[in-house]
Amino acid sequence: MITRRLFLGAAPLAVLSGCTTFGSSNDITSRPAIEPTPKVMPIAYGAVLDEPYPIPAVPDGIVPERYWRQQVVNPFPNETPGTLIVDPNAFFLHLIESPGNAMRYGIGVGRQGFSWSGDAVVQYRRKWPRWKAPDDMVARNPELAPYSVANGGMDPGPDNPLGARALYLFQNGEDTLYRIHGNPEANSIGKAVSSGCIRMLNQDIIDLHARVRDGSKVIVRSSVMPAGLV
């Protein structure tokens, strides 16, 4: 049986093995002394029941309003429409729509999300992707063998660490092991977390997946990894 403890123990290997988001988010971001008044989530973050696996509504008061999906003035007017810009330090992902507008999403950033930057392309996208434990991770954690590449990985579903959708980033034809993916942990949005790459609410990654195309340009801005993740 694969235990939560095993997955949490495997999380540090994500830097070398691509995105992994098992277990709790292990938030290392400090919280304000006075918590803001909880806000009621927009209808866009309600339960999604027309997917192969039901997605629960995002609870009120968990995700700060600034990280809700919203159209904003484009902060990168020189970039081509369709470009994705990931800013790990600000915990935002922008999809450039026009010189004047962009769609902005809140993200959570794991150790792997801070450790790589540069230009890439969305090589391909997947709905309800499989997660496959790389060979080096399985070598260190044999109990992950059922989810190895050779064994076909973990079935899609609500417990899969890549969530409802995933975008796979390549650079010069090579897999960067960098993923933009869904996740069910709403409390990880807007925070630095111990594992994974670029986490989005499942409702947001579904929306983004529908807006982008394979081959879209992605710019991952340079960032500073928080001390708690080093």
Side-chain angles (χ1 to χ4, degrees), residues 9-18 20 111 136-138 140-141 144:
L13 299 174
V15 175
L16 298 178
S17 306
T20 306
R111 184 183 282 105
D136 58 346
M137 184 179 286
V138 174
R140 293 173 175 83
N141 297 273
L144 290 177

Side-chain angles (χ1 to χ4, degrees), residues 99-156:
N101 297 314
M103 187 65 71
R104 190 180 75 190
Y105 304 84
I107 59 176
V109 185
R111 184 183 282 105
Q112 177 70 5
F114 283 107
S115 66
W116 186 89
S117 63
D119 293 355
V121 299
V122 177
Q123 189 75 6
Y124 52 88
R125 301 161 294 147
R126 291 289 182 268
K127 296 182 178 180
W128 293 103
R130 302 183 71 83
W131 177 75
K132 298 178 182 179
D135 292 342
D136 58 346
M137 184 179 286
V138 174
R140 293 173 175 83
N141 297 273
E143 291 182 60
L144 290 177
Y147 306 128
S148 69
V149 175
N151 288 324
M154 176 181 281
D155 290 338

Side-chain angles (χ1 to χ4, degrees), residues 29 41 45 62-70 87-93 104-108 186 188-191 200-201 204:
T29 304
M41 295 298 292
Y45 292 110
I62 300 297
V63 181
E65 186 174 357
R66 66 182 176 278
Y67 297 121
W68 296 355
R69 181 198 325 159
Q70 55 190 293
D87 188 342
N89 281 339
F91 300 102
F92 287 135
L93 182 154
R104 190 180 75 190
Y105 304 84
I107 59 176
S188 69
I189 301 302
K191 298 174 183 176
M200 299 178 69
L201 295 169
D204 280 346

Side-chain angles (χ1 to χ4, degrees), residues 9-207:
L13 299 174
V15 175
L16 298 178
S17 306
C19 298
T20 306
T21 319
F22 282 108
S24 66
S25 62
N26 290 332
D27 169 33
I28 59 87
T29 304
S30 60
R31 291 180 170 81
I34 301 176
E35 294 290 344
T37 302
K39 295 290 186 72
V40 176
M41 295 298 292
I43 192 171
Y45 292 110
V48 181
L49 304 178
D50 58 353
E51 287 280 322
Y53 308 94
I55 298 171
V58 178
D60 295 337
I62 300 297
V63 181
E65 186 174 357
R66 66 182 176 278
Y67 297 121
W68 296 355
R69 181 198 325 159
Q70 55 190 293
Q71 191 176 66
V72 298
V73 175
N74 181 5
F76 310 100
N78 294 326
E79 296 298 337
T80 304
T83 299
L84 291 173
I85 300 177
V86 179
D87 188 342
N89 281 339
F91 300 102
F92 287 135
L93 182 154
H94 288 84
L95 170 61
I96 306 305
E97 297 181 316
S98 70
N101 297 314
M103 187 65 71
R104 190 180 75 190
Y105 304 84
I107 59 176
V109 185
R111 184 183 282 105
Q112 177 70 5
F114 283 107
S115 66
W116 186 89
S117 63
D119 293 355
V121 299
V122 177
Q123 189 75 6
Y124 52 88
R125 301 161 294 147
R126 291 289 182 268
K127 296 182 178 180
W128 293 103
R130 302 183 71 83
W131 177 75
K132 298 178 182 179
D135 292 342
D136 58 346
M137 184 179 286
V138 174
R140 293 173 175 83
N141 297 273
E143 291 182 60
L144 290 177
Y147 306 128
S148 69
V149 175
N151 288 324
M154 176 181 281
D155 290 338
D159 296 326
N160 187 292
L162 295 180
R165 305 284 192 275
L167 311 183
Y168 296 75
L169 275 57
F170 279 54
Q171 184 182 59
N172 299 322
E174 298 290 333
D175 190 352
T176 64
L177 300 181
Y178 201 96
R179 311 286 185 252
I180 300 170
H181 60 89
N183 93 103
E185 297 180 327
N187 63 346
S188 69
I189 301 302
K191 298 174 183 176
V193 293
S194 62
S195 62
C197 283
I198 300 300
R199 301 177 174 201
M200 299 178 69
L201 295 169
N202 276 322
Q203 286 86 344
D204 280 346
I205 192 66
I206 289 173
D207 182 84

